Amino acid sequence: MTATWEPVGTTDPILSVRQILALERVLAGDPEVVAGTAHLDRPVRWVHVAEAPDVGVMLSGGEMVLTTGVLLAGDEHKQAEYIQSLYRAEAAAVVLGLGRAFPATPDAMRRAADRCGLPLVVLHRPFPFAELTEEVQSRLVRRKFAAVSLSESVRTALTGLITADAPLQRLLDEVAVHSACPVVVTNLAHRVLATAGERSAVDDVLRDWERIARQAGGAEGDGWIRAELAGRGERWGRLMLCGYRGDAVTGRLLADRGAEALVLHRMLGGGSAHSWEEQSAQSLLTDLVSGVVPARQLLPRARAAGLPVNRRTFVPLVVRDCDPARLERTLRLLGLPGLVAELTEHVTAVLLSLARDQDADALAAHFATRLHGEAPPDATVVAAAGPCIAWDDVPAGLREAQHVADAVADTTTGLDLPAVVRLKDVHLRGLIRLLRDDPHVQSFAERELDGLLCANGTGTGQDLLDVLRTYLATGRNKSRTAQLHHVSRPALYRRLEAIQTRLGVDLDDFEQAASVHIALLAHDAQQQ
């Protein structure tokens, strides 16, 4: 459900003094600001025509008062007190129609308005106050209605998304559509959990996030609007509109509606702040692995997510069969900065960020040893690429670590592997994993195994492939192969003979057997 965005600045339920003075009907009265020019952006809540000297006691703040000053003429003390009473009542401005009472601007009122900082406007031409009040009141009513309409539109859109079990990102996208500016969700430590909006604008915000985060507790301004994320007595994050170009009231409304939706989303099972951190890390690391987004463009996101990136050594790891929560807990216990994200089921990426003077290999081994110590033997595999000094090398490092982890998972026989497995530890199988998508390798595998693959849909073809796989993996040990397949040696010999006939090879010849073995490894890697 997508709502139509209204142009910014049209839904503010109030007008400023400056905006009112620019109205065509008001310009017909030839207005002149004679005092308080620095305060023309004050909001006007209502327009009030009053001639009483004590009108201040009738105001509640935010009014533009229209008067001819007929009851103030000839008494400078009353004129000054009149201005002061309006100031005390927090009036937005006073408009004086020049005429019989005051043919020119009264100095006493101008001086008092200057001292108070209250805008004083004089109209040089006769002007019916009724026209001004009618014009302004109708505009205020329309704007208040538009603000209510926008509020309900945003609430309806976001509620519909929550009802449809939409993810966090979809809700933020909706807020960004209405606000037409970057939207950022952070935890209380100012780490970015999620963003929405035009990608280039978001990147500009994240690029300067360290400075923005330091100022996050300060006063709002220049379109930066915050709304707290809290529920059930717990405050756990913030939603920020970054550089909103509309009026502050509408921006506040949008931020509050967005925050309400995020809190409701969380309360209804849409996750916690912690799970949003996991989603943020997952999105970042998935983009790094895929290579779809250049690494340089992802650097601001990594920095905003709390990962140290300046003068660091990055260690890309991929861990199989380990709970991501346990990985994060181990990082915290060891005091290692890093991001953790589940890429696929049973496969989790870990990106360590270490100081340049730290021993990256030793710390990675320490991390892996700690994990192995908490898991059953051989249950967890920690694969790694070499340390990366340059951020641009991280994507290739993560992909290499993933290839190594997959190569270990493909192994059908036990390997004596170190705590941290690298490409050199998986030998030929690792190379095949790296090259599995190469069309030449695919053609080679199909050509070498054609005699078995063409019958792979039959029970016999699959059975022969399984026997070949075991026979080669055991170093062509016939006794062990027969034992693993629960067949007699004569039966195994017949199957090996059938394999050789179909493939046109002699498996006793080392080079031919090696060629078939490589082809089978490539075929199996392509099936993953």
Side-chain angles (χ1 to χ4, degrees), residues 432-502:
I432 294 299
R433 289 293 307 187
L434 287 174
L435 300 177
R436 66 175 181 173
D437 294 327
D438 188 300
H440 295 93
V441 174
Q442 295 173 359
S443 296
F444 168 76
E446 292 171 0
R447 184 172 63 250
E448 288 290 301
L449 302 175
D450 181 61
L452 294 180
L453 294 179
C454 64
N456 199 20
T458 67
T460 301
Q462 183 60 52
D463 179 60
L464 293 180
L465 269 177
D466 290 342
V467 170
L468 176 61
R469 187 178 290 108
T470 304
Y471 179 63
L472 296 174
T474 58
R476 295 183 293 172
N477 186 320
K478 295 183 176 68
S479 297
R480 180 59 177 159
T481 301
Q483 180 183 12
L484 291 174
H485 284 269
H486 307 291
V487 297
S488 64
R489 289 188 54 134
L492 176 66
Y493 294 155
R494 288 192 295 272
R495 295 183 187 184
L496 291 176
E497 185 65 32
I499 291 171
Q500 293 180 106
T501 299
R502 292 194 181 204

Side-chain angles (χ1 to χ4, degrees), residues 393-416:
D393 295 334
V394 170
L398 284 168
R399 289 192 290 273
E400 179 181 319
Q402 189 169 18
H403 285 310
V404 172
D406 291 342
V408 174
D410 291 344
T411 304
T412 55
T413 57
L415 294 175
D416 185 14

Side-chain angles (χ1 to χ4, degrees), residues 157-402:
L158 294 175
T159 301
L161 290 172
I162 293 172
T163 303
D165 199 25
L168 167 68
Q169 188 60 54
R170 187 66 190 84
L171 269 66
L172 291 182
D173 289 341
E174 189 70 25
V175 176
V177 166
H178 285 280
S179 63
C181 71
V183 179
V184 175
V185 175
T186 72
N187 62 13
L188 294 180
H190 309 304
R191 288 192 175 186
V192 174
L193 307 182
T195 63
E198 183 183 352
R199 190 71 262 165
S200 60
V202 171
D203 287 345
D204 286 343
V205 169
L206 296 185
R207 202 169 287 116
D208 199 26
W209 187 252
E210 290 182 0
R211 180 187 63 81
I212 294 170
R214 287 196 299 270
Q215 297 177 351
E220 296 179 350
D222 296 327
W224 295 84
I225 302 173
R226 297 186 308 275
E228 298 296 324
L229 301 177
R232 295 173 179 169
E234 176 190 8
R235 192 166 64 90
W236 45 272
R238 295 183 181 89
L239 179 143
M240 293 184 64
L241 303 186
C242 304
Y244 178 70
R245 298 190 304 275
D247 57 85
V249 173
T250 304
R252 166 54 51 199
L253 180 151
L254 289 171
D256 288 344
R257 290 292 173 266
E260 290 170 6
L262 297 193
V263 171
L264 181 59
H265 178 267
R266 179 187 178 191
M267 293 176 64
L268 292 180
S272 62
H274 179 68
S275 70
W276 289 0
E277 290 179 357
E278 293 174 351
Q279 292 175 36
S280 175
Q282 183 179 37
S283 173
L284 174 61
L285 292 185
T286 299
D287 285 347
L288 279 170
V289 172
S290 70
V292 173
V293 182
R296 183 56 50 184
Q297 292 184 20
L298 297 173
L299 187 59
R301 286 172 57 187
R303 181 185 292 110
L307 185 73
V309 296
N310 296 330
R311 297 188 56 78
R312 307 292 287 187
T313 298
F314 303 101
V315 182
L317 304 173
V318 170
V319 184
R320 292 189 65 94
D321 300 318
C322 186
D323 180 18
R326 183 154 67 89
L327 293 173
E328 290 187 343
R329 185 171 63 251
T330 303
L331 286 180
R332 288 195 300 271
L333 288 173
L334 298 179
L336 297 176
L339 296 178
V340 176
E342 191 172 23
L343 300 180
T344 61
E345 188 176 9
H346 306 303
V347 177
T348 303
V350 179
L351 181 60
L352 301 181
S353 175
L354 307 176
R356 291 280 175 86
D357 59 353
Q358 292 180 293
D359 188 332
D361 290 341
L363 287 174
H366 184 42
F367 172 70
T369 301
R370 185 66 174 261
L371 289 178
H372 290 308
E374 298 178 1
D378 302 325
T380 297
V381 173
V382 180
C388 303
I389 300 299
W391 173 258
D392 288 343
D393 295 334
V394 170
L398 284 168
R399 289 192 290 273
E400 179 181 319
Q402 189 169 18

